[in-house]
Amino acid sequence: MFVIPLAVASIVCGIFYAQMKTANEQTHANAYMPAEGLALSVVEDTYTHTTETERYDPVKDDSSSSGSSTDSDGFGGSSGGKF
């Protein structure tokens, strides 16, 4: 029952195997480079992951003496005054 499909598959695989081209392994990287050198047409870096982080860093203005202060998170309060 499965002899005919097995024979057809074997023939097809044999044909594909006969058409394969063999490659010779080179021992030096220069063998893979073209004689005229390599010219890049597009220079672009694409990152899928990054370790860059952003942190809020407020601008500190020391010129005013209103008694306000800013903590390490960039949020502040004031001293004195009435509510």
Side-chain angles (χ1 to χ4, degrees):
M1 193 65 125
F2 64 91
V3 175
I4 295 175
L6 182 63
V8 171
S10 297
I11 292 171
V12 170
C13 289
I15 292 170
F16 285 152
Y17 183 76
Q19 292 176 350
M20 290 177 58
K21 295 180 181 178
T22 58
N24 296 326
E25 183 179 351
Q26 300 295 322
T27 58
H28 299 289
N30 292 338
Y32 294 101
M33 294 293 294
E36 60 273 359
L38 181 67
L40 298 176
S41 59
V42 177
V43 179
E44 180 179 314
D45 290 331
T46 304
Y47 299 99
T48 58
H49 297 82
T50 181
T51 57
E52 182 179 337
T53 58
E54 294 184 20
R55 195 180 114 221
Y56 177 68
D57 190 16
V59 178
K60 296 185 180 188
D61 185 13
D62 293 336
S63 64
S64 68
S65 59
S66 64
S68 65
S69 63
T70 305
D71 63 8
S72 62
D73 291 336
F75 299 97
S78 60
S79 60
K82 296 183 180 179
F83 290 100

